[in-house]
Amino acid sequence: MPTDPQSALITIQAGLAQLSTLIVSYSFSAIGAVILLIVGYFVAGVAERSISAGLGHIHGFDATLRHFFSKIVRYAILILVTIMVLGQFGVQTASIIAAIGAIGLAIGLALQGTLQNIAAGIMLLALRPFRIGEYVEVGSIAGTIEEIGLFATKLRSVDGVYVLAPNSTLWNQPVRNFSRNGVRRTDVTLSIGSWNDIDRAQKTLLAIAGAEKRIRREPAPIAFVAGLGDSVSLTLRYWTSAGDYFPTQIDMTKRAKQAFDSEGISIPLPPPEVPAPEARKQ
């Protein structure tokens, strides 16, 4: 059946009107979305810089933590802006938020160990049980701290070995920080023959301690008998700065031996080895 030209024209006009309405509607939505994106991007940048600058004014606040928190604020604003832009086009934002939550939960379960390291890194940076340059011992891990990151901490052992320790490992164990207090006590123990004058040996140890400038006068060095047996164990106890601990210990051990030699104080020699009966028969 032939179509009435007038009816066809009315239908076309109605379709064009509806199309123009959609174009205008979506044009405003697109323009609003672009404006939202531009403003959101600008606000995210300003918020990131403001948070970073504000935390930077806090004395002792770690730079890694400052960068981490400022980035979290930036990305949170950008995600919010993205959801608002999708809402401009009629997308159900509630379902998007639920999907983001489900994805976040799945990622959290998959990266549970990594998230533990991040949480431990934040706690280490906030509470500062150790700082860069300090010598620490945590369980079987020992060395000088070189870098504290959000995931792991870099250390250098006393023999120059590179150590990368997960933050969760360092956070979940007691930390022995040998540098934090600034001073350390040292014991240098030597054995002398039981026939030597003990008082004279003690005075000799105190004399070499008094001549060493790296040894602190308070608390004062002391020398005492640490053990008795076939020989007499004498201990020289003194305090130095943490940085002078090892060099002073090495020097004082050598000087104590030299001083004993010059004073005629003998160190007992190990007994000679007696050959086994089978060896003597040969």
Side-chain angles (χ1 to χ4, degrees):
M1 172 182 262
T3 305
D4 185 5
Q6 188 175 3
S7 299
L9 181 61
I10 293 174
T11 303
I12 293 172
Q13 289 177 345
L16 291 175
Q18 187 177 4
L19 179 62
S20 74
T21 302
L22 289 174
I23 292 174
V24 171
S25 176
Y26 278 102
S27 296
F28 281 113
S29 296
I31 293 173
V34 171
I35 294 174
L36 273 175
L37 285 173
I38 295 174
V39 173
Y41 186 83
F42 176 76
V43 171
V46 172
E48 179 185 7
R49 290 190 294 270
S50 300
I51 294 295
S52 180
L55 295 177
H57 292 150
I58 301 176
H59 178 70
F61 199 88
D62 191 84
T64 304
L65 268 184
R66 185 173 73 245
H67 179 76
F68 178 72
F69 286 131
S70 59
K71 285 296 183 184
I72 284 181
V73 171
R74 174 185 175 85
Y75 291 130
I77 293 176
L78 291 177
I79 291 173
L80 179 62
V81 169
T82 303
I83 293 174
M84 293 173 63
V85 168
L86 293 175
Q88 288 287 317
F89 294 98
V91 178
Q92 295 296 325
T93 56
S95 59
I96 295 176
I97 295 174
I100 292 175
I103 293 172
L105 179 60
I107 293 175
L109 292 175
L111 302 177
Q112 187 174 4
T114 302
L115 294 177
Q116 286 179 353
N117 286 327
I118 293 176
I122 293 174
M123 297 304 295
L124 290 174
L125 291 169
L127 298 181
R128 293 179 175 271
F130 46 74
R131 297 184 178 91
I132 294 175
E134 294 182 335
Y135 183 84
V136 300
E137 183 180 293
V138 186
S140 60
I141 301 171
T144 302
I145 303 296
E146 291 192 330
E147 181 181 336
I148 306 172
L150 282 177
F151 298 95
T153 297
K154 298 178 183 178
L155 303 92
R156 185 183 69 255
S157 66
V158 291
D159 53 351
V161 176
Y162 170 85
V163 180
L164 182 66
N167 286 334
S168 58
T169 301
L170 300 178
W171 176 250
N172 292 326
Q173 299 186 71
V175 177
R176 298 183 66 197
N177 191 324
F178 295 90
S179 306
R180 178 59 54 88
N181 292 334
V183 294
R184 288 189 63 181
R185 193 193 77 189
T186 310
D187 289 354
V188 175
T189 301
L190 299 96
S191 296
I192 63 174
S194 57
W195 57 87
N196 291 283
D197 187 341
I198 297 177
D199 291 333
R200 184 179 180 187
Q202 288 179 293
K203 290 179 181 178
T204 302
L205 291 175
L206 291 176
I208 64 172
E212 175 55 59
K213 295 182 179 179
R214 290 172 294 184
I215 293 179
R216 293 175 173 265
R217 299 298 173 255
E218 290 293 335
I222 60 173
F224 57 91
V225 176
L228 296 173
D230 295 336
S231 61
V232 178
S233 295
L234 289 179
T235 295
L236 173 64
R237 176 170 292 173
Y238 58 86
W239 291 78
T240 64
S241 65
D244 291 333
Y245 176 82
F246 287 110
T248 307
Q249 184 185 48
I250 294 170
D251 292 342
M252 293 304 295
T253 303
K254 178 181 178 181
R255 292 175 190 173
K257 175 62 171 65
Q258 292 173 337
F260 281 176
D261 290 344
S262 63
E263 292 292 329
I265 301 172
S266 58
I267 295 177
L269 298 175
E273 293 185 4
V274 178
E278 294 79 5
R280 287 201 300 268
K281 290 178 182 180
Q282 294 177 357

